[in-house]
Amino acid sequence: MNAPDGEPGNPAHVLFERFVRASQCREALGVFQELRQCLELQGTGLPLYRGLRASLNSWSAKALWSKLDKKASHKDYEQGTACARTKCLVVGAGPCGLRTAIELALLGARVVLVEKRDSFSRNNVLHLWPFTIHDLRALGAKKFYGRFCTGMLDHISIRQLQLILLKVALLLGVEVHVNVQFKGVLPPADKAGGREGGWRAVLQPSSSPLSHYAFDVLISAGGGKFVPEGFKRKETRGKLAIGITTNFVNRHSRAEVEVAEISGVARIYNQKFFQNLYNKTGIDLENIVYYKDDTHYFVMTAKKQSLLKMGVILQDKPDTESLLAADNVNREALLSYAKEAANFSTNYCLPKLEFALNHRGLPDVDVFDFTCMTRSENAALVREHDGARLLLGLVGDCLVEPFWPLGTGVARGFLAAFDAAWMVRRWAAGTPPLEVLAERESIYQHLSQTSPDNTNKNVSQYSIDPTTRYPNINLQAIKPSQVQDLYLVGMVEVDHKGKSDNRLSTVAGDTYEELLSWCRASTAGYRGVEVADFTRSWSSGRALCALVHRFRPDLVDLDSIDQLDPLRRHQAMLDTAEQELGIQPVLSSAEMASMSEPSRLGLITYLSQFYEAFKPPPGSEDVAKKPLSTHSTKGAILFLSKLQKSRSLTLKRAQDSAQKDAEPKRSRREAEPDPGPDGDVWDGGHKQPATAAADPGQPSAARGESSDACYFCGRRVYIVERVSAEGRFFHRGCFQCRQCGATLRLGDYAFDEEDGHFYCSLHYPNPPGMELPPDELPVLPDGDIATSNPPPDTGSPCAAPEEAAPAQPGLPSTPVPPPAALRESPPAQPGGAEDAAGPEEQDAPAWPDPGLGAEEAKEEQGPGAEPRGAAEEDEESGGRRKIILTPLEKLKLSTLSLTVDAEPEPPPKPARLRLGAAHVALRALQPGQGGWEEEEEEMAEEEASEESDSEEEEEEGLDLGTMAESCLILEEPEKYPTWKRTLDRQAREAQMKRFCKAQAIQRRLEEIEVTFQELEKQGIKLEKFLREEAGTPADLKTQWMNQLLYLVQKKNSLVSEESDLMIAVQELKLQEQQCQLDQRLRQYMNKEEALKTPEERAAEREILAQLLEVVNKRNALIHVQEEKRLSELQA
């Protein structure tokens, strides 16, 4: 029944339009069935699609067919014949299951998909990578959902994504069955009476007609809790992580449109924002994200103590399952908690927040645990029974559970769907099963490391062929002989026993004797040194001096060091090893000098670090010729050590300067010896903090005393759990900020020598016990300021973040009045070098620059000094701003980038760009604008000119809501010019990139922390055994010592990795600062020079100077990372 196109009220076209606009799963399925009946179309797969294409020729249908035809014409699909004889069963109608089904249908396979639900109700929003946007557009996403990727950020709700993919799957002939639950597989029935056997599914209900469907490929996309038999899972565990998701109703009003999204902000690089949030609301978060889609979607990570304090969690429980059980969570308190966090983070600008409802009709707020992340050890396997083979593959969460803050779930899920489709294509082509499995596992190795940066940049060329997506991939990295255990014959026996940890029992070699022999050989020939044991031979300190001098003679002056007493000699060598080699002390100088038997274990573990740094490479016999590379001396640890000394010096100078008029002791402090270049203060007496004895809350031990007692809690600290900073020894868990209790890490803390306390960099300038001012406005992720209270009229539009003045804490309270002719909001007020860049500037360290140090530059120029080469006459000249820079400054400025790092080009946004083109036309009617605006308009026009003809058709998919929101923007061209929207988008994309990287770092740091705890438990047990002298055989004690040294090596390796991550954290902080400073600088430079006040000119010069300083700091980081890379290549 092929109705002509031009016939008014064509029922088939009406049904097709209803199908395209269907907003529910059941509605889409029902209307599609009606459409098939109306057109009298039978069958499945691509023949059904061809029938639909021939019967429906309305303009909207033609636009969709053109896209799907272009997709289906790719050579990988072989015109839909690549898998023509393959029967597939896909479990789960989530985004990954549906995307896999679409690819299998394009390959020509018969595809049946089962889903236990009959509705799509998840409002949560997914972040989309550039390739996923391009992929969905190629499938006609904007035909089904006009709002697709029209905002500042690229995202989509899970429900909308499922609807889009479901409609595409139905059009391509995928058989979708809802309310059917998969329970397992049945092997082929015995062939009797000519009946054909095949693998079948165990389904619920058992009366489903699909119970008789025989298939030879099973793809599971059923989620993390369901994995078919035969697959093994492994778990990565971090510290307790509690997530909260919440959705609010989006009415798409003007006020809601103007509220900026938050692509992600993390405590790890923006501590100020979260501290202000806690001070004002009691809410303590690690991160927060806000996306605006069908709903206002917020997701955040909350701290357990905050949830307990706010009454969200009723009772503290040891296991997470009981902790977050429904009967232990106060729902009303949870709703209040989530709502207040959402209000605060959006400046209270979202009017009348109303919770969206979930599928149960309840407020869509959920609390979940993502402490443990699981992944499958393999991506596929083959089962064989009576000669019938079944290929099983995993995609989605049952393959790899995503870590939600990274926004990788749907992107890696789509990549896995493509990989699975490629595997099925190879299977259908007759490739031997072991070769198919080996290739699939070779590809799977890349999945967990994929990101927009390390996948191919030309997303338009992506296909199911992995070589189009993964650069330099080796499809034969794993050999067929290595995957024989993935080919299962007969019935599967499930191994429910976990793998035991036999690390201690498998330590090979005699590490103890090897270490002693190495120390003896390395110190041979030095006067007064004879190493025979790990006690008396080292008490004088000469052996340690000889050991360091053998490999680094530039660090030790034997003549001068020999004149010191043993205590001072040991202290000098401990400081040298820490500052120049990155080797943390394990014992105090007093313990090293006395060297009693109880200290022997500490000395052995300490010397083992030298052994790891200096030991000769395999095959080398001369220990004295081992060069010391940056990597072998723990370059990251060394850099952080010097960085910490430099920061301590900077903070101390800043504090002394601030207290110059208030403290009469200033003159006495100036008379004290100034720290050296590395920040060291040589005090042989190891003076105890003056207030330690009077204040019971003071730490219990001072520098130079026993290393067995924790400096903070006073309890016993064993060797493996021992950490050292500023000559103090303590547990890792006790290393916290005195004021806020935040966890501190080496290279990222501040130490007050007067009171003996450690602080985070945010609280060090404040006196102990002083909280941040309660009326201080929080610094938002994009540099805006949150109001302390909701506006009186919450229904009125609030100033958009683009309009708000990005003032920063610590700036003068008197604002500079903007000129009347200036139509944009006034820029940030000028301030000191420490405060003008926001809270991250306070967190930023003073860096050991290879060239001129930051401190020297500040002292030379002063915080408000004009950069060299700036001409004074420029201040008086009218017209556009012209800045004269020295060649060095020009070179440094050339390294600046709006997006901080090289960003892959996002797919074009036709709807937004076309509206932007009209906006440019409106802008042309306005008076002269700044040069930066013209550059950005040209940038937008270049992006628009690169659009293909097919992408221009996307305009047709815009719905009325999208047009209405766009018109709200077009009404005020001065407020939202094209260049500004382009920059805002780029800035938010860069912010998202930083956020994802920060969360990956945070997750790895937490995993390292958990591994540390496991090592500490084993190390404490071994140390107790070793200290029990009576009745222990010598060979057993030697075995225990070897095991302890093995644990120490593992710990040292983790410490080195942790230091690398902390350097990455410093880089993120600098990127955040550079982004904020660049935005502020643009505000000044886009203003006519004649309209600027003297204060604004001074502020502009100051910001430029700060930008140059940030570049210097980033150069120092790059220098260290490059040295480390080269040293690793040499090794």
Side-chain angles (χ1 to χ4, degrees):
M1 177 180 169
N2 297 334
D5 179 40
E7 183 177 324
N10 187 322
H13 292 153
V14 172
L15 287 172
F16 180 76
E17 292 302 322
R18 283 180 54 197
F19 170 73
V20 169
R21 298 182 182 278
S23 60
Q24 300 294 331
C25 173
R26 282 172 289 190
E27 180 186 2
L29 291 171
V31 175
F32 186 74
Q33 185 61 28
E34 292 182 41
L35 178 61
R36 289 185 58 178
Q37 293 174 357
C38 177
L39 297 174
E40 298 179 358
L41 294 176
Q42 303 297 325
T44 60
L46 291 180
L48 175 63
Y49 166 70
R50 296 187 184 105
L52 290 168
R53 183 182 59 186
S55 303
L56 299 170
N57 52 9
S58 64
W59 67 269
S60 58
K62 285 181 179 179
L64 184 58
W65 303 146
S66 66
K67 285 188 169 292
L68 295 181
D69 285 345
K70 182 178 179 181
K71 179 74 175 177
S73 65
H74 195 280
K75 61 183 179 63
D76 287 345
Y77 305 123
E78 299 179 10
Q79 298 298 319
T81 63
C83 300
R85 297 184 178 181
T86 305
K87 296 180 178 180
C88 304
L89 177 66
V90 178
V91 180
C96 299
L98 287 165
R99 191 64 190 85
T100 306
I102 290 172
E103 290 301 322
L104 295 176
L106 290 170
L107 287 166
R110 181 185 177 186
V111 186
V112 174
L113 184 146
V114 295
E115 167 60 43
K116 64 181 180 180
R117 302 180 182 89
D118 62 356
S119 64
F120 298 150
S121 57
R122 289 185 287 177
N123 291 316
N124 293 354
V125 179
L126 300 171
H127 171 64
L128 300 178
W129 290 5
F131 94 86
T132 54
I133 298 170
H134 187 277
D135 178 67
L136 290 170
R137 279 185 172 153
L139 294 176
K142 287 191 75 71
K143 308 302 179 187
F144 301 108
Y145 183 53
R147 297 180 187 274
F148 179 69
C149 287
T150 55
M152 278 291 182
L153 299 173
D154 296 323
H155 49 65
I156 190 172
S157 69
I158 299 176
R159 184 178 66 85
Q160 285 292 350
L161 180 57
Q162 286 178 283
L163 277 172
I164 292 171
L165 296 175
L166 172 66
K167 294 172 185 178
V168 175
L170 290 173
L171 292 175
L172 292 176
V174 176
E175 303 174 54
V176 179
H177 298 263
V178 295
N179 295 320
V180 178
Q181 188 172 5
F182 179 84
K183 292 292 188 181
V185 294
L186 286 176
D190 295 334
K191 296 181 180 180
R195 276 197 310 114
E196 182 180 355
W199 290 86
R200 291 176 170 81
V202 180
L203 302 173
Q204 183 73 32
S206 58
S207 59
S208 172
L210 291 178
S211 299
H212 303 290
Y213 173 62
F215 49 87
D216 48 13
V217 174
L218 172 65
I219 302 296
S220 174
K225 295 183 179 180
F226 173 77
V227 179
E229 293 181 349
F231 290 92
K232 297 180 180 179
R233 308 278 286 175
K234 57 183 177 182
E235 177 184 277
T236 58
R237 178 177 292 273
K239 295 172 65 178
L240 178 64
I242 301 175
I244 297 176
T245 61
T246 181
N247 287 275
F248 298 97
V249 175
N250 187 355
R251 301 177 181 85
H252 305 286
S253 65
R254 183 193 185 95
E256 291 170 300
V257 169
E258 291 183 342
V259 177
E261 296 175 295
I262 302 174
S263 55
V265 59
R267 178 185 291 271
I268 197 171
Y269 62 82
N270 195 338
Q271 187 180 357
K272 185 88 168 187
F273 170 75
F274 293 98
Q275 187 64 40
N276 288 331
L277 171 64
Y278 176 75
N279 289 343
K280 296 178 185 301
T281 66
I283 295 174
D284 202 3
L285 303 179
E286 289 288 347
N287 52 48
I288 189 168
V289 173
Y290 162 49
Y291 289 155
K292 194 179 340 182
D293 207 88
D294 286 346
T295 61
H296 296 289
Y297 171 69
F298 293 83
V299 58
M300 61 202 81
T301 302
K303 293 188 177 182
K304 183 181 73 171
Q305 292 302 322
S306 172
L307 295 174
L308 287 167
K309 179 181 177 182
M310 302 292 288
V312 177
I313 297 178
L314 302 179
Q315 294 181 353
D316 194 1
K317 301 288 183 69
D319 62 296
T320 309
E321 186 175 354
S322 301
L323 182 72
L324 300 182
D327 58 356
N328 196 43
V329 175
N330 185 330
R331 289 288 300 180
E332 292 300 323
L334 176 62
L335 298 181
S336 175
Y337 191 98
K339 189 171 185 177
E340 182 60 29
N343 268 322
F344 184 90
S345 61
T346 56
N347 302 356
Y348 295 89
C349 289
L350 284 176
K352 300 179 182 178
L353 279 182
E354 177 184 346
F355 288 102
L357 302 182
N358 57 22
H359 62 285
R360 304 187 192 91
L362 301 175
D364 194 357
V365 181
D366 192 23
V367 58
F368 62 97
D369 164 50
F370 59 101
T371 303
C372 301
M373 312 303 296
T374 60
R375 57 173 293 162
S376 177
E377 292 186 357
N378 52 286
L381 55 85
V382 173
R383 293 184 61 178
E384 180 181 338
H385 186 83
D386 290 341
R389 293 171 176 169
L390 174 65
L391 175 65
L392 296 95
L394 304 180
V395 296
D397 290 2
C398 62
L399 180 63
V400 178
E401 273 192 320
F403 181 51
W404 74 260
L406 300 184
T408 58
V410 68
R412 290 178 180 169
F414 276 24
L415 291 175
F418 299 158
D419 297 337
W422 179 257
M423 174 185 67
V424 175
R425 183 182 186 274
R426 297 272 289 159
W427 174 268
T431 308
L434 289 181
E435 291 186 17
V436 173
L437 293 174
E439 184 179 85
R440 179 69 186 96
E441 297 308 313
S442 299
I443 300 170
Y444 180 44
Q445 287 183 328
H446 291 258
L447 185 63
S448 294
Q449 285 76 42
T450 53
S451 70
D453 294 330
N454 59 24
T455 49
N456 284 331
K457 298 299 183 290
N458 190 357
V459 297
S460 63
Q461 299 299 317
Y462 278 23
S463 73
I464 60 174
D465 185 348
T467 59
T468 65
R469 294 174 277 118
Y470 309 112
N472 305 320
I473 187 173
N474 181 7
L475 298 179
Q476 299 178 345
I478 295 179
K479 305 302 180 184
S481 59
Q482 297 176 265
V483 294
Q484 292 182 359
D485 60 328
L486 301 181
Y487 193 99
L488 309 178
V489 180
M491 301 303 294
V492 177
E493 295 182 2
V494 182
D495 182 15
H496 295 285
K497 296 181 179 180
K499 293 183 178 180
S500 59
D501 187 358
N502 297 321
R503 289 180 297 177
L504 294 180
S505 61
T506 58
V507 177
D510 193 341
T511 310
Y512 176 84
E513 291 297 333
E514 185 179 348
L515 178 63
L516 183 59
S517 300
W518 178 79
C519 291
R520 186 182 296 116
S522 300
T523 57
Y526 284 87
R527 179 171 52 87
V529 177
E530 182 177 355
V531 175
D533 51 31
F534 286 114
T535 52
R536 295 186 301 273
S537 301
W538 301 86
S539 58
S540 67
R542 291 188 173 88
L544 184 58
C545 295
L547 184 64
V548 176
H549 184 271
R550 170 62 63 96
F551 300 98
R552 288 292 302 271
D554 58 307
L555 299 181
V556 182
D557 184 351
L558 294 178
D559 294 333
S560 61
I561 205 77
D562 195 52
Q563 300 176 5
L564 302 177
D565 59 78
L567 184 65
R568 294 172 64 87
R569 189 180 300 131
H570 274 293
Q571 187 61 56
M573 294 314 302
L574 289 175
D575 293 339
T576 299
E578 182 177 8
Q579 297 161 16
E580 301 297 336
L581 305 178
I583 296 177
Q584 299 293 321
V586 179
L587 298 172
S588 66
S589 57
E591 291 170 322
M592 294 279 286
S594 62
M595 197 45 62
S596 59
E597 186 64 25
S599 301
R600 184 172 68 96
L601 293 178
L603 177 64
I604 293 173
T605 56
Y606 183 57
L607 294 176
S608 69
Q609 299 183 67
F610 289 89
Y611 179 61
E612 289 298 315
F614 294 114
K615 69 179 179 181
S620 175
E621 297 181 358
D622 189 356
V623 298
K625 294 182 180 180
K626 168 71 164 66
L628 185 62
S629 65
T630 305
H631 173 67
S632 63
T633 56
K634 306 175 184 178
I637 302 176
L638 175 59
F639 179 79
L640 287 179
S641 177
K642 291 186 175 183
L643 172 63
Q644 186 58 54
K645 295 294 182 183
S646 183
R647 176 194 283 113
S648 299
L649 175 60
T650 303
L651 292 177
K652 188 174 187 303
R653 287 175 175 173
Q655 186 183 43
D656 289 347
S657 178
Q659 298 176 353
K660 182 176 181 180
D661 299 330
E663 295 191 12
K665 298 180 181 179
R666 174 67 178 172
S667 58
R668 178 181 61 83
R669 192 178 295 137
E670 290 178 346
E672 294 177 355
D674 189 53
D678 292 329
D680 295 325
V681 179
W682 291 83
D683 57 337
H686 314 293
K687 185 177 179 180
Q688 184 176 356
T691 58
D695 186 357
Q698 291 282 358
S700 59
R703 177 170 178 157
E705 297 185 1
S706 172
S707 63
D708 287 339
C710 176
Y711 180 69
F712 297 101
C713 68
R715 294 193 298 269
R716 176 69 175 271
V717 53
Y718 291 90
I719 291 174
V720 178
E721 60 180 353
R722 192 172 298 171
V723 184
S724 172
E726 305 294 334
R728 279 78 175 171
F729 301 91
F730 40 82
H731 303 96
R732 290 179 60 86
C734 295
F735 195 29
Q736 297 178 348
C737 173
R738 168 72 174 178
Q739 188 165 335
C740 67
T743 300
L744 302 178
R745 300 184 188 276
L746 298 180
D748 194 18
Y749 67 88
F751 178 69
D752 193 321
E753 295 181 0
E754 294 186 359
D755 63 14
H757 290 309
F758 290 86
Y759 299 92
C760 64
S761 53
L762 177 64
H763 288 118
Y764 177 71
N766 298 327
M770 178 184 293
E771 290 292 341
L772 293 177
D775 56 345
E776 186 172 318
L777 300 178
V779 179
L780 291 175
D782 53 3
D784 301 325
I785 302 300
T787 57
S788 58
N789 295 298
D793 182 10
T794 57
S796 61
C798 180
E802 288 82 354
E803 298 177 82
Q808 304 294 346
L811 301 184
S813 57
T814 304
V816 178
L822 183 60
R823 301 195 179 188
E824 293 185 21
S825 297
Q829 307 303 327
E834 303 86 355
D835 299 322
E840 289 78 8
E841 188 72 21
Q842 296 180 6
D843 293 341
W847 299 79
D849 198 333
L852 180 65
E855 286 300 314
E856 299 176 16
K858 277 190 177 181
E859 293 172 1
E860 190 171 328
Q861 293 187 353
E866 179 178 354
R868 298 185 188 93
E872 295 181 0
E873 56 267 19
D874 288 340
E875 298 180 11
E876 302 174 0
S877 63
R880 295 176 182 173
R881 173 66 166 163
K882 181 178 179 182
I883 300 179
I884 302 177
L885 302 174
T886 65
L888 176 61
E889 290 170 341
K890 291 180 180 179
L891 176 63
K892 291 179 177 179
L893 274 180
S894 67
T895 63
L896 297 179
S897 170
L898 291 176
T899 55
V900 182
D901 289 326
E903 295 279 343
E905 284 295 328
K909 300 287 187 297
R912 183 169 60 256
L913 287 174
R914 186 165 293 185
L915 291 171
H919 194 70
V920 172
L922 291 175
R923 296 271 303 152
L925 302 177
Q926 303 297 330
Q929 305 295 328
W932 288 58
E933 297 177 11
E934 297 173 359
E935 294 174 8
E936 296 309 326
E937 290 174 358
E938 293 174 2
M939 182 190 307
E941 292 172 359
E942 290 176 2
E943 290 183 8
S945 66
E946 294 173 359
E947 294 182 5
S948 63
D949 293 338
S950 61
E951 291 295 349
E952 290 177 356
E953 297 175 357
E954 299 291 358
E955 279 290 331
E956 301 169 358
L958 283 175
D959 58 19
L960 296 179
T962 307
M963 293 297 297
E965 290 185 23
S966 303
C967 290
L968 287 177
I969 297 177
L970 288 175
E971 287 177 3
E972 298 188 41
E974 279 299 317
K975 186 184 299 185
Y976 296 100
T978 302
W979 68 267
K980 186 171 181 59
R981 288 188 288 116
T982 301
L983 290 181
D984 286 345
R985 182 177 183 82
Q986 291 178 340
R988 280 172 169 76
E989 288 173 351
Q991 186 183 68
M992 167 61 75
K993 186 176 180 180
R994 287 194 298 276
F995 176 73
C996 291
K997 186 174 182 180
Q999 293 312 299
I1001 292 172
Q1002 182 69 34
R1003 177 68 184 185
R1004 182 55 190 153
L1005 288 173
E1006 292 174 354
E1007 291 174 357
I1008 289 175
E1009 190 66 30
V1010 171
T1011 307
F1012 269 130
Q1013 295 173 3
E1014 295 173 354
L1015 293 177
E1016 289 169 1
K1017 291 179 181 178
Q1018 300 176 60
I1020 291 172
K1021 184 177 181 181
L1022 286 172
E1023 186 173 347
K1024 289 180 178 179
F1025 287 160
L1026 287 168
R1027 293 184 183 274
E1028 296 175 0
E1029 298 288 344
T1032 304
D1035 57 344
L1036 183 58
K1037 296 196 67 168
T1038 301
Q1039 180 182 353
W1040 289 341
M1041 178 61 70
N1042 291 334
Q1043 294 172 355
L1044 181 61
L1045 289 176
Y1046 172 80
L1047 293 180
V1048 170
Q1049 292 173 2
K1050 296 287 289 183
K1051 174 194 172 184
N1052 293 340
S1053 176
L1054 291 174
V1055 169
S1056 180
E1057 182 183 359
E1058 185 181 48
S1059 299
D1060 288 332
L1061 294 174
M1062 292 307 299
I1063 287 182
V1065 170
Q1066 306 300 334
E1067 172 71 8
L1068 289 177
K1069 290 181 178 180
L1070 289 175
Q1071 290 178 2
E1072 184 78 4
Q1073 290 177 52
Q1074 182 171 336
C1075 181
Q1076 291 186 4
L1077 288 171
D1078 186 79
Q1079 290 176 351
R1080 295 177 58 204
L1081 183 62
R1082 281 179 177 274
Q1083 287 183 315
Y1084 286 109
M1085 299 187 75
N1086 283 321
K1087 184 179 178 181
E1088 292 291 343
E1089 185 67 23
L1091 302 179
K1092 295 179 183 178
T1093 65
E1095 292 84 358
E1096 289 172 339
R1097 294 192 185 99
E1100 183 178 355
R1101 292 194 298 269
E1102 174 60 25
I1103 293 173
L1104 180 59
Q1106 292 176 20
L1107 268 175
L1108 295 178
E1109 185 177 347
V1110 169
V1111 171
N1112 283 333
K1113 294 175 181 179
R1114 294 189 67 182
N1115 282 340
L1117 278 180
I1118 294 172
H1119 179 73
V1120 170
Q1121 292 169 339
E1122 181 64 14
E1123 281 190 347
K1124 184 176 185 296
R1125 186 186 67 84
L1126 293 176
S1127 66
E1128 290 174 347
L1129 291 177
Q1130 295 174 358

